[in-house]
Amino acid sequence: MSKTPDLKPRKSPTQARAAETVRIILEAAARILEARGLAGFNTNAVAERAGVSVGSLYQYFPGKDALTAALIQRDGEVLREEMAAAARLPMARAALSGMIAAAVGHQLRRPILARLLDIEESRLPLGEQQDEKTKELQDLLDQVLARVDLPAGLSADTAGADLFAIVRGMVDHAGSRGEVDATDLQHRVERAVFGYLGLA
Amino acid sequence: MSKTPDLKPRKSPTQARAAETVRIILEAAARILEARGLAGFNTNAVAERAGVSVGSLYQYFPGKDALTAALIQRDGEVLREEMAAAARLPMARAALSGMIAAAVGHQLRRPILARLLDIEESRLPLGEQQDEKTKELQDLLDQVLARVDLPAGLSADTAGADLFAIVRGMVDHAGSRGEVDATDLQHRVERAVFGYLGLA
Amino acid sequence: MSKTPDLKPRKSPTQARAAETVRIILEAAARILEARGLAGFNTNAVAERAGVSVGSLYQYFPGKDALTAALIQRDGEVLREEMAAAARLPMARAALSGMIAAAVGHQLRRPILARLLDIEESRLPLGEQQDEKTKELQDLLDQVLARVDLPAGLSADTAGADLFAIVRGMVDHAGSRGEVDATDLQHRVERAVFGYLGLA
Amino acid sequence: MSKTPDLKPRKSPTQARAAETVRIILEAAARILEARGLAGFNTNAVAERAGVSVGSLYQYFPGKDALTAALIQRDGEVLREEMAAAARLPMARAALSGMIAAAVGHQLRRPILARLLDIEESRLPLGEQQDEKTKELQDLLDQVLARVDLPAGLSADTAGADLFAIVRGMVDHAGSRGEVDATDLQHRVERAVFGYLGLA
DNA sequence: AATGAATGAGTGTTCATTCAT
DNA sequence: AATGAATGAACACTCATTCAT
């Protein structure tokens, strides 16, 4: 077995300058990923693009994987907020539509980045912290699903996982096909989701 | 820009022994991928596992990416055959079910391998050859879809791509969740597919 | 805690060329140590001095520490043989003299190298293999000490350890003072050893 | 060739607070050395342990080696005083015993630190200052040796160097073996020293 | 054809040292 | 004077690929 890498940020930047440096590094990492893919994603390139030294990068992240993990975390932040907002809508159908819209919007905003982070997320041992985040999303979905009539034989858990997979699969694929029309994609994903749930 | 790598096998194995060697190398590559992931997938490890020298490996494949490409190709062979057989079924609904069964069966047979090859496939410039294979599948799907009443506003092309994405997303996710019950998964994918098509 | 490094050679060279490469690398490592000290002892420098690539070095040694360990092992080989030969002398006093001569000769042959390897030996977790080697020496010494009248209150173990320390301390220091006269040094070490044992 | 580093403390701490800071830094350095060895001995770790910033550390020491040198200097201070006191004893034999006791006590107080500083001392170009300190010790030893009948063929210089080496070798080794009984070690070192001098 | 030793560019990471605040 | 963020040269180690045997 290989040793599990440290994925927690190394130091919380106390000074304003340091926080800004972290932000710059993360954005540089995102751009490198988008421009050169996983193969071209290395710490020296990120540091150079960020206009800082490698040393600075390692002041804030204990290793490459921790940088990736932070990027995944940052990337999911907005998504989770939009999802939570959508889940609060009173009508279940509207809530689901809103959650789909959040996923679609998130993916189409930076499709390449989203796809690569998905891949990396499945590779990294993100630990409790990320599990919590995922669980949070899962819970939101479960709450909404509890308000619809699920078809016989489907548990909320399984249905949640499937919907997750359907939405991610469709938006990833749309992203890789170069789609940019969010409205159209939204409709199709709704077809699949509501069809799956028998709410068509 | 980096030069696009040569992905065609270096020599057509005219002799039976050579074909056998190629087979052994490919299976070794598959097992390394499954056991060690993309990070542990390197030519020296594959050659050692295959019981041949690196030199021999490079006799049959011009580079690492060509090896990966051949693996993707091999991996899709059976899937395409089963898909084609299913597409020949007279009833459109049965044909779709059969195609889903092929996809589900393929993924659950070697879930880790299937997932990693999906990732690599999206990274490699597979060229005409693979495009043809994908187009073949797309055509099969189009033919079947031509025999159902597509909902308004959906082209066969788009619907095909979406179904592809739905199925792949669901089976990938099921694979990574450790599901092994093909029948159950089959039902759920059918829900999504027929739901999407309005055939529920 | 830091992970204990792998200190065993990576592969036993099967071909003659490979064995020669290993020999060349070890001698280059020795010369780098002598010329630049521990601070200048790095794998790139060793490889360059050896006239091979770093890659070759890592074919045979899993890491820098393994290289050092192999050097320690090689360095002790001749010493152990000479010690064993001396221990076989029938007269205990002659045996001790012979063992001192072996230690003195060993140290004066390559004084800087011997000193630095002593330092590294104390730092590395050499494991059973080396413990055996040291135990072998200790056993030789014990056997010889069993044939002399030890002063009251001295166990063979303690006496052995002390003699070891006396000899090593004196020859190390002589080496670092630049002494080259083995005969003179031999006499003085004998003074200390026989004096310690009350055999003056 | 590399330039010889500046080993003198950067500023004479005129203020009491500065002197205290220096003391704290030195003790932190000692503890880091003991706890993490030479490999873990770095200026950032020392500063953190000392509770000061690296910047402050560099206010008082022009570089890492200067810090080490100061530590060596501090470490020898007490030893030299005790040695000088012992050398003033009227009976030569008692003086030697006292000097041995000083060395043994010094080593057993902080065995790991003593050993590592010995190693570093042999690596650093300590310059006149330290030479003087060593010479001071050597002189003390010479004065005492002048009061005993040296065996034929031994100069006071050589004898002094040998005794130094014997004592250091024995106490270093005892330290690394984990010995803690100062009285026992004292007896054995005396055996060696007086035996060497023919005063048994 | 096969072998496997050899290559070396590339990458992750550390740490002594500097300097803006 | 003090801080600690930033620097970047240096180094351990990997692995795709080549080539002498």
Side-chain angles (χ1 to χ4, degrees), chain B residues 100-117:
Chain B
I100 291 169
V104 167
H106 174 257
Q107 194 80 11
L108 292 192
R109 235 172 275 140
R110 305 184 78 166
I112 301 175
L113 180 63
R115 170 145 224 284
L116 295 180
L117 290 183

Side-chain angles (χ1 to χ4, degrees), chain D:
Chain D
M1 285 297 122
S2 55
K3 64 171 187 287
T4 59
D6 189 356
L7 298 183
K8 293 189 297 296
R10 184 164 267 170
K11 64 172 64 169
S12 305
T14 50
Q15 303 174 2
R17 185 162 60 110
E20 177 64 6
T21 302
V22 165
R23 207 191 54 70
I24 288 173
I25 292 173
L26 285 176
E27 186 53 29
R31 287 182 196 275
I32 292 284
L33 262 180
E34 290 175 320
R36 308 189 203 170
L38 285 170
F41 178 59
N42 66 68
T43 53
N44 288 289
V46 169
E48 190 183 11
R49 168 66 75 106
V52 303
S53 64
V54 252
S56 283
L57 190 155
Y58 275 86
Q59 294 261 338
Y60 295 104
F61 303 96
K64 188 190 183 188
D65 282 346
L67 174 59
T68 310
L71 201 51
I72 290 169
Q73 156 70 19
R74 185 197 79 156
D75 186 67
E77 210 72 52
V78 176
L79 176 61
R80 276 190 296 278
E81 283 168 16
E82 293 184 1
M83 285 274 190
R88 280 192 294 272
L89 290 176
M91 308 297 292
R93 216 190 147 98
L96 281 172
S97 282
M99 293 176 85
I100 291 169
V104 166
H106 174 257
Q107 194 80 11
L108 293 192
R109 235 171 276 141
R110 305 185 77 167
I112 300 175
L113 181 63
R115 170 142 224 286
L116 294 180
L117 290 183
D118 276 354
I119 291 173
E120 286 300 89
E121 190 173 356
S122 74
R123 188 181 61 79
L124 293 176
L126 289 173
E128 305 173 14
Q129 196 168 312
Q130 184 62 20
D131 280 352
E132 262 176 52
K133 305 288 183 182
T134 304
K135 197 156 186 316
E136 209 178 300
L137 268 189
Q138 187 73 38
D139 283 348
L140 287 176
L141 199 46
D142 283 358
Q143 286 163 28
V144 176
L145 290 179
R147 290 144 58 193
V148 303
D149 289 327
L150 278 183
L154 275 186
S155 72
D157 244 36
T158 308
D162 282 344
L163 293 183
F164 214 87
I166 289 169
V167 175
R168 172 175 285 189
M170 289 184 77
V171 292
D172 262 5
H173 195 59
S176 73
R177 296 209 319 160
E179 292 193 29
V180 291
D181 184 341
T183 312
D184 188 51
L185 179 56
Q186 169 85 18
H187 286 325
R188 280 147 49 211
V189 177
E190 287 185 1
R191 283 202 69 82
V193 167
F194 294 132
Y196 174 90
L197 291 173
L199 301 179

Side-chain angles (χ1 to χ4, degrees), chain A residues 22-51:
Chain A
V22 167
R23 213 191 50 70
I24 289 175
I25 291 172
L26 282 175
E27 186 51 30
R31 287 183 195 276
I32 292 285
L33 264 180
E34 289 175 322
R36 309 188 201 169
L38 286 170
F41 179 59
N42 66 66
T43 53
N44 289 291
V46 169
E48 190 182 8
R49 166 67 74 108

Side-chain angles (χ1 to χ4, degrees), chain B residues 140-200:
Chain B
L140 287 176
L141 199 48
D142 284 358
Q143 286 164 27
V144 175
L145 290 179
R147 289 145 59 195
V148 304
D149 289 326
L150 278 182
L154 274 186
S155 71
D157 244 35
T158 307
D162 282 344
L163 292 184
F164 215 86
I166 289 170
V167 176
R168 173 175 285 188
M170 289 184 78
V171 291
D172 262 4
H173 196 57
S176 74
R177 296 209 320 158
E179 291 192 31
V180 291
D181 184 341
T183 311
D184 188 51
L185 180 55
Q186 169 85 18
H187 287 325
R188 281 146 50 210
V189 177
E190 287 185 1
R191 282 201 71 82
V193 169
F194 294 132
Y196 175 90
L197 291 173
L199 302 178

Side-chain angles (χ1 to χ4, degrees), chain B residues 11 53-56 60:
Chain B
K11 64 173 64 172
S53 64
V54 249
S56 283
Y60 295 104

Side-chain angles (χ1 to χ4, degrees), chain A residues 50-70:
Chain A
V52 304
S53 64
V54 257
S56 283
L57 191 156
Y58 279 90
Q59 293 246 339
Y60 299 104
F61 303 97
K64 189 193 184 187
D65 283 345
L67 175 58
T68 309

